[in-house]
Amino acid sequence: MLKKSYLPLLLLFSLLLPQAVKAESTSFSGNQPEGLQITELTRQLEQKHQTRIFYLEEWFAGKRFDPQIADLPLPQALSRIIGELRLEVMVHDGMIFIMPSEAPQQQLSAPGDVAIIGNPNEFGRYSRATITGKITDGSTGEPLFGAVLFDPESGIGASAGLNGRFRMELPVGEKRLRISYVGYEDRIQPIRLVSDGSIDLELFISSTQLQEVTIMAKRAEENVLRTQMSMISLDAKSIQELPGTFGERDIVRSITLLPGIQTVGEFGTGFNVRGGSADQNLILVENVPLFNSSHLFGLISVVNPDLVNNVTLIKAGTPAKFGERASSVMDIRLGNGLSTETASVTGGLGVLNSRILLQTPIIKEKASLEFGARTLYSDWFLGRIPSKDLMNSAAGFHDLTGVINFAIGTKNRFTIFGYRSFDRFSFGGESDYEYANTMASFRWNSFFGPRLSSTFMAGISNYDYQVKEVPPQQEFRHLQMNSDIRYKTIKWQLTFQPSHNHKIETGLHAIEYGISPGRLVPLTEETVIKPKTQADERGLELAAFFSDDISITEKISAELGLRYSHFLQLGPAKVNLYQQDMPMTPDHIADSVFYGRNEVVSQYGGLEPRIGLRFTTGETSSVKLSFSRINQYINLITNTSVMAPTDVWKLSDTYLKPLKSDQYALGYFRNFSENRIETSLEVYYKQLHNVIEYKSGAEIALNDYLETDIINAKGYNYGLELYVKKNTGRLTGWTSYTYSASMRRSDSPYPENQINNNTYFPSNYDRPHNFVLNTNYNISRRWRFGATFTYNTGRPVTLPELTYWQGGNMMVQFSDRNKYRLPDYHRLDLSISLGENLRTDRRGKGSWTFSVMNVYGRKNPYSVFYKKDSGTFHSDTSFKLYQVYIIGQALPTITYNFRF
Amino acid sequence: MKRRLNLFIISLMALLVHSCQEEYFVDLKDVETALVVEGYISDKGGIQSIRLSYASKFQSVESPVYAYGANVILHVSDGTTWEFHPGWAGYYNLPADFLAEPGKTYTLEIQLTGFDGEPRVYQSIPQAMPSPVNIDDAYAEFSEELFFFYSTETDYVYQRYVPGTNAMVTASNTDGSPVRFRFESEMYLQYVIRYDGVIPSYDYCWIRRDVTDFAGSDINLFPNQQNSPTRIAFIPSIPFYMGHLGFPRYPYDGVRVIINRMFTLNEQGYKFHKDKNEQLGDNGQFFDPIASQVKGNIKCISHPDELVLGFFEVSSEITRPYLVNANEYYNILEVDLLDLNFDLIPRAGCKLDTLPDFWLP
């Protein structure tokens, strides 16, 4: 009679297994001739624990076990039995099943792991079997057309097709497959071929020919061996393990948990990389830039995480093919490409929003479609909150994303991408904010052979916002203000790989900018405010680039690049001329010059050298150096510490010089425990020229003399970043510590244009200490626990210090710019997830995530501002300082994700 | 159960959307107070005075502390010096025979013992007195202005746009130099109350009020443009709405006169008032904008790192009265001063059946 009391063991096993495995490494006695065979050991266990244990004897062929294992508690005994083998234990209906692990097909495990292909239960049934699968770039997820698999034992080989897929028939048994591709590290993959099956393989770019033993060390060493430093790369699997925001994976907000990347708080668009402002980050979605990356003023990013295939963020040593923004490049690639084999629908239902994703092949391996949508349904909730203001408020967003991939022949592949997001927020029925991103791109990859390929890309990205003032029963005040930016781009790139450790890229890039800074429109005939339209801005940015990524010696590799960019400000435009030797104020306008359409108003250009070097210092360690110069010709004009959706983009012009950033970085990278643990230490120094600062009380909106409120300042940022990441095992995650500084200085002889008397002061993004601990613990195959703790030094703020009377008015004297800091920021988020049912016969599957943000209810100030009570009726003028916090209490959320 | 879930979700949304705000106190114990100078010298004559006080720490509820015991001296570019005499509440007055003149430069010097017992010397940047601007034109424009109202019945403050008349002037400089001035306008209203009886009687009344609440104090906006219009006052067209300002609610039909004092400023003075106006217009915002800082023109010579607040203004002044036609609110007529000295008009009063001397026909 079988007892059902073993059911709870499933959980027990899960909890004990890590410790048991650890213990096994010192006491396991397999292969001892005097030990027990598996059949005897399991018989003893069955008798002792009144259960049945099912397994295949060949999995334990030749192994002998310590007899004392039979005396251990059953969970520990089983964990000792399975040891290092790729086996798992399941309990069902009181019986114990030992079975092959259902680990992911990509065989990215520790050295010596053997990938079992086929059904182990069919062992010995076939003499030959067919292997199918896909070979991709492990960093980008791009399929590697022409990659070769080779079995030295049989002499049989195969090459991957356009979509990276391959098919190869081999005799069954143990094999050591060699996978190679020009410009990528070769890889040896041990397999045990049992029957027909599939395996997906990843290769990584490297400039060094390594010994075979090192090549086997696979993906984890990529961080050490690639020349590129200060790079964060997340594939689809890693993204799924990112901490959630409101129960949903959030690419942009998760990125801010990585070293050197910060955000101003729960609210606020964008993120800050190594002391740079948010507009210094180039966020590319399928090759076109995203101008506002946040829904709801920053609570959730606009990128639908379900569609993201991989994300790469580069903080230093930016390759020459990228430019435009001074601090970082975030390259987001969407979709699975042509690898989508069957139609599927996935989605999620959250407290705040819902999302759905459709993936389907159109023509198998020739064309595929992926379409995702998300929406926020808060209006219904707001209407039921017992607050007059909130009942009359509305908050909502939606975003739609579509990707079509198709191939023509074997040498041409196309990607069409479209995106639209829309946000709306109104408060109390008096004001209404709306903003939208629209993006589209077309990409054409041509393969001229295994060594030469080209990419042509054309795209657009538009961002527009409008603010409506519509106070009830006051139609004479109804007005609307809007602004938009229009971005068009064409890029062509040629890639030549003369050998596997040498890669040359060159190309041309053209961008056309159009900006409507502001339009003020009366909404009714009674509106007393006059309409006003600021003149449009137009500009053209042209660039050519060349880079050579080469292994100089076995231990030294270099990526040398050069980019030349040139910016033209185009008419029509009116340029105010100011009196010489006088501060630039509206009072000192001497004359104005008008430029006609397409006349060049001003132009800037310059070479942007990019240098990356890597010195291998050991099998799992390296030192990297980089230098990069980037010119930025477009800036977000904001007089607030945080990027707001209503800020105005502005092109470089006669007075606003291009931002120039020179960054030097040095890093030491080392992996431990057979690459299970990655560590890095990076230091950087960034010199900034023409960084935008603002005069006290600067006016941004509809300012015809904006240049008089802007100061071209200097600055520098420096920092140290420590990073430790555990990639595998039940406990995964990372911890990081960053020390950084970000300083600015005005440089003007005129007091009007000086900040803090031309002395260095901390920028808005100077937050010296940053600590992050992000962990995931797989309690069992379905249950997972996550915890994220963040700590940041409070950001600098300028606060009022004194009040005084002047001419009958109470005035405020503020401190020096950014003299004070907000209180330190820290927050703990916890989550627990119940994964999908593991039964393969279920068509629809679901998972639950329950999370609590800000577990201990820390009131982290988001901003501090003062309010003036003019005392018209009840009291004298007085001032009060207020702090605002976004999430001041523990905030639980629950999300249901489904797939069918 | 469904209701509970509903409440749960609503609570979550309330938490999310209703972000919280609470008073924030900053540690200012290391912040030292600063001397504040309020100095206004004009060529009008009469008693000229400055006021010295100390700034209060932000969020402090203390009353202003005035600076007593200072030696205050005015240095004139013609080599003369004038000593101020201490008055009450931090005021220091120039002798009555002092008369400033356009074209001369004035420097204020203050000698004062600090809180630490050490003597301090403060000095203004030399201020040149500009010549007065020319008033070239005056006219009226229809407009609307936002007014705040307070209901004593409901204890509720509300706002509403009120139609009325903008009194506009244009000014220029003969030499074409930038036109910089600030102004203060007052409204003077004279009206008649008729008492019906066997023998009717009349109250001849007048009242004078600042018109600051409706744009009666400001600077001109476009100093580089000669003859650019500047609004010197807004006159609401509905008498009722002036009630809270002290004007009689009824009867109202009478003569309105705007008395405008125009102070021609040098460049520093104009910049100071412009910055001051910007700060007064700020009221803090959620997204934490960069604050408007006002810089003065006084330095501490003996302790150069010490902060000094306030401004020493030297300006030339002209006073002009403008008659507002009581029956046509959309027209404004400039009138001569005639023989009326508007400074001598009491702020308010009535005379039964007797026309005051200053009464306008």
Side-chain angles (χ1 to χ4, degrees), chain A residues 376-389:
Chain A
L376 177 83
Y377 34 75
S378 63
D379 288 5
W380 181 85
F381 299 130
L382 288 168
R384 282 156 181 79
I385 296 173
S387 158
K388 184 185 172 188
D389 286 335

Side-chain angles (χ1 to χ4, degrees), chain A residues 534-814:
Chain A
Q534 281 193 287
D536 281 7
E537 295 182 22
R538 292 180 62 233
L540 198 61
E541 183 178 341
L542 306 169
F545 59 88
F546 174 87
S547 71
D548 190 351
D549 187 355
I550 186 170
S551 292
I552 299 167
T553 69
E554 191 172 298
K555 291 192 170 184
I556 301 175
S557 68
E559 183 171 0
L560 306 173
L562 190 63
R563 181 183 181 93
Y564 178 79
S565 63
H566 197 90
F567 175 78
L568 304 164
Q569 183 199 357
L570 302 176
K574 173 192 170 189
V575 177
N576 295 316
L577 302 179
Y578 293 86
Q579 296 170 23
Q580 298 265 328
D581 302 324
M582 296 293 281
M584 203 160 66
T585 66
D587 306 349
H588 296 138
I589 294 174
D591 202 353
S592 300
V593 178
F594 292 87
Y595 291 84
R597 184 169 178 79
N598 292 331
E599 267 193 273
V600 176
V601 181
S602 62
Q603 55 182 312
Y604 303 95
L607 290 171
E608 302 175 20
R610 315 286 172 85
I611 301 167
L613 296 171
R614 190 220 59 205
F615 305 91
T616 305
T617 54
E619 291 185 355
T620 58
S621 65
S622 65
V623 173
K624 301 179 188 179
L625 292 165
S626 74
F627 168 77
S628 56
R629 169 174 292 174
I630 300 176
N631 294 329
Q632 180 172 328
Y633 304 104
I634 184 169
N635 296 278
L636 192 67
I637 304 299
T638 172
N639 63 350
T640 61
S641 303
V642 296
M643 186 171 163
T646 51
D647 293 332
V648 179
W649 290 90
K650 174 151 185 58
L651 298 173
S652 293
D653 61 19
T654 307
Y655 300 107
L656 183 64
K657 312 290 185 194
L659 170 65
K660 186 168 77 174
S661 165
D662 289 340
Q663 184 175 194
Y664 307 83
L666 170 68
Y668 177 67
F669 299 80
R670 182 163 184 177
N671 292 355
F672 295 93
S673 302
E674 297 174 327
N675 296 318
R676 289 188 180 93
I677 296 175
E678 295 176 13
T679 65
S680 66
L681 167 64
E682 293 190 45
V683 292
Y684 66 90
Y685 178 81
K686 208 188 282 191
Q687 187 79 43
L688 299 167
H689 302 276
N690 301 323
V691 61
I692 292 178
E693 283 294 338
Y694 302 89
K695 291 184 186 177
S696 297
E699 281 291 329
I700 301 303
L702 297 168
N703 185 349
D704 290 330
Y705 312 100
L706 188 59
E707 64 269 15
T708 64
D709 274 342
I710 288 175
I711 296 170
N712 285 315
K714 296 177 177 176
Y716 64 83
N717 307 334
Y718 64 83
L720 175 151
E721 297 168 358
L722 279 168
Y723 181 55
V724 179
K725 183 184 181 189
K726 185 172 182 294
N727 292 314
T728 59
R730 292 202 158 190
L731 181 68
T732 58
W734 69 81
T735 183
S736 68
Y737 168 76
T738 303
Y739 175 79
S740 61
S742 175
M743 307 296 285
R744 303 286 182 267
R745 184 169 80 90
S746 60
D747 187 22
S748 170
Y750 305 110
E752 292 89 342
N753 296 347
Q754 293 176 0
I755 303 171
N756 297 1
N757 298 318
N758 283 347
T759 57
Y760 276 105
F761 64 94
S763 79
N764 291 335
Y765 318 108
D766 178 69
R767 307 179 76 177
H769 301 286
N770 168 247
F771 173 77
V772 173
L773 176 64
N774 178 62
T775 60
N776 279 301
Y777 182 74
N778 290 304
I779 300 167
S780 70
R781 294 179 64 183
R782 291 186 67 189
W783 286 95
R784 188 173 69 175
F785 171 78
T788 304
F789 175 77
T790 54
Y791 167 85
N792 269 313
T793 309
R795 67 177 171 84
V797 287
T798 307
L799 295 179
E801 288 185 326
L802 297 167
T803 55
Y804 62 99
W805 287 92
Q806 191 73 32
N809 300 113
M810 183 179 272
M811 308 296 295
V812 175
Q813 175 69 18
F814 291 89

Side-chain angles (χ1 to χ4, degrees), chain A residues 246 267 297 299 351-352 378 380-382 384-386 390 425 474 476-477 526 528 582 586-589 639-642 644 694-698 751-752 754 795 797 799-815 817 819-823 859 862-868 873-874 879-886 889-892, chain B residues 6 8-10 12-28 31-34 36-40 53-59 64 144 146 148-150 155 157 159-161 178 180 213 222-225 244 267 270-272 274-276 278-295 307 309-311:
Chain A
F246 299 110
F267 235 31
F297 296 90
L299 282 177
V351 171
L352 281 176
S378 63
W380 181 85
F381 299 130
L382 288 168
R384 282 156 181 79
I385 296 173
L390 293 178
F425 182 85
Q474 295 186 26
F476 53 89
R477 286 179 60 192
E526 288 80 24
V528 294
M582 296 293 281
D587 306 349
H588 296 138
I589 294 174
N639 63 350
T640 61
S641 303
V642 296
Y694 302 89
K695 291 184 186 177
S696 297
E752 292 89 342
Q754 293 176 0
R795 67 177 171 84
V797 287
L799 295 179
E801 288 185 326
L802 297 167
T803 55
Y804 62 99
W805 287 92
Q806 191 73 32
N809 300 113
M810 183 179 272
M811 308 296 295
V812 175
Q813 175 69 18
F814 291 89
S815 67
R817 182 78 57 90
K819 175 183 173 183
Y820 294 91
R821 287 185 183 278
L822 293 181
K859 293 178 178 177
Y862 170 74
S863 70
V864 171
F865 62 93
Y866 80 97
K867 272 187 178 178
K868 180 169 60 180
F873 298 101
H874 292 294
F879 295 95
K880 281 186 178 176
L881 205 55
Y882 292 92
Q883 64 170 344
V884 170
Y885 47 88
I886 305 300
Q889 301 177 36
L891 180 61
Chain B
N6 196 14
F8 172 70
I9 293 171
I10 289 170
L12 291 179
M13 281 303 301
L15 279 172
L16 173 69
V17 178
H18 208 215
S19 58
C20 298
Q21 174 179 310
E22 60 186 34
E23 193 166 1
Y24 180 79
F25 293 94
V26 60
D27 182 5
L28 298 172
V31 174
E32 294 182 355
T33 186
V36 181
V37 179
E38 292 178 82
Y40 300 93
S53 62
Y54 290 99
S56 304
K57 289 188 180 181
F58 191 82
Q59 291 174 312
E144 287 184 314
L146 189 64
F148 290 88
F149 299 94
Y150 172 56
D155 191 28
V157 178
Q159 58 184 23
R160 187 177 165 188
Y161 274 83
R180 303 184 185 99
D213 278 7
F222 305 104
N224 280 344
Q225 298 174 25
H244 76 282
E267 187 174 349
Y270 183 84
K271 175 79 170 56
F272 173 80
K274 186 179 177 190
D275 292 346
K276 181 183 157 193
E278 281 179 9
Q279 189 186 92
L280 291 171
D282 288 349
N283 194 20
Q285 285 179 32
F286 181 76
F287 280 111
D288 194 13
I290 295 169
S292 301
Q293 188 80 294
V294 180
K295 289 184 180 177
L307 175 70
L309 300 172
F311 196 79

Side-chain angles (χ1 to χ4, degrees), chain B residues 180-197:
Chain B
R180 303 184 185 99
F181 63 85
R182 69 177 178 90
F183 60 85
E184 295 170 2
S185 295
E186 290 179 321
M187 181 173 287
Y188 158 60
L189 173 70
Q190 64 178 39
Y191 57 96
V192 179
I193 302 174
R194 173 191 168 113
Y195 299 99
D196 292 329

Side-chain angles (χ1 to χ4, degrees), chain A residues 305-607:
Chain A
D306 290 342
L307 269 160
V308 176
N309 185 286
N310 63 75
V311 180
T312 303
L313 182 86
I314 298 171
K315 300 180 287 183
T318 308
K321 63 184 175 185
F322 295 117
E324 303 180 56
R325 308 291 176 86
S327 277
S328 75
V329 177
M330 179 190 263
D331 192 9
I332 300 173
R333 297 300 177 95
L334 306 178
N336 290 327
L338 298 177
S339 63
T340 304
E341 293 182 333
T342 56
S344 67
V345 176
T346 56
L349 298 168
V351 171
L352 281 176
N353 64 76
S354 289
R355 63 190 199 281
I356 192 164
L357 169 67
L358 166 69
Q359 295 173 297
T360 180
I362 301 171
I363 304 171
K364 193 172 182 181
E365 299 193 355
K366 293 288 184 187
S368 69
L369 166 69
E370 290 166 84
F371 177 80
R374 297 190 301 174
T375 187
L376 177 83
Y377 34 75
S378 63
D379 288 5
W380 181 85
F381 299 130
L382 288 168
R384 282 156 181 79
I385 296 173
S387 158
K388 184 185 172 188
D389 286 335
L390 293 178
M391 287 177 77
N392 292 323
S393 299
F397 72 74
H398 66 255
D399 58 52
L400 308 170
T401 313
V403 182
I404 296 173
N405 281 285
F406 61 97
I408 297 178
T410 59
K411 294 185 176 178
N412 293 288
R413 182 175 164 180
F414 303 87
T415 302
I416 297 172
F417 158 70
Y419 177 88
R420 169 78 177 173
S421 75
F422 176 79
D423 274 72
R424 177 170 170 258
F425 182 85
S426 69
F427 188 77
E430 292 207 353
S431 55
D432 190 11
Y433 296 85
E434 294 179 3
Y435 60 94
N437 285 292
T438 307
M439 296 187 287
S441 71
F442 169 77
R443 183 160 48 113
W444 172 20
N445 292 323
S446 294
F447 301 91
F448 306 114
R451 296 175 190 278
L452 188 64
S453 65
S454 78
T455 302
F456 171 81
M457 192 280 297
I460 61 164
S461 179
N462 295 342
Y463 174 70
D464 59 87
Y465 79 79
Q466 68 178 27
V467 181
K468 284 182 186 171
E469 294 289 337
V470 284
Q473 299 178 336
Q474 295 186 26
E475 291 193 350
F476 53 89
R477 286 179 60 192
H478 288 199
L479 59 90
Q480 172 181 306
M481 194 176 80
N482 49 20
S483 172
D484 65 77
I485 176 167
R486 304 168 296 280
Y487 175 102
K488 298 173 187 170
T489 181
I490 295 177
K491 189 175 183 179
W492 174 78
Q493 179 180 317
L494 190 68
T495 305
F496 177 56
Q497 294 179 279
S499 67
H500 71 278
N501 57 6
H502 191 189
K503 183 178 177 183
I504 296 170
E505 289 180 326
T506 186
L508 301 169
H509 193 185
I511 301 162
E512 183 189 346
Y513 299 99
I515 296 175
S516 298
R519 290 182 294 274
L520 186 66
V521 182
L523 288 179
T524 67
E525 290 184 358
E526 288 80 24
T527 303
V528 294
I529 294 168
K530 295 176 181 174
K532 180 177 181 180
T533 300
Q534 281 193 287
D536 281 7
E537 295 182 22
R538 292 180 62 233
L540 198 61
E541 183 178 341
L542 306 169
F545 59 88
F546 174 87
S547 71
D548 190 351
D549 187 355
I550 186 170
S551 292
I552 299 167
T553 69
E554 191 172 298
K555 291 192 170 184
I556 301 175
S557 68
E559 183 171 0
L560 306 173
L562 190 63
R563 181 183 181 93
Y564 178 79
S565 63
H566 197 90
F567 175 78
L568 304 164
Q569 183 199 357
L570 302 176
K574 173 192 170 189
V575 177
N576 295 316
L577 302 179
Y578 293 86
Q579 296 170 23
Q580 298 265 328
D581 302 324
M582 296 293 281
M584 203 160 66
T585 66
D587 306 349
H588 296 138
I589 294 174
D591 202 353
S592 300
V593 178
F594 292 87
Y595 291 84
R597 184 169 178 79
N598 292 331
E599 267 193 273
V600 176
V601 181
S602 62
Q603 55 182 312
Y604 303 95
L607 290 171

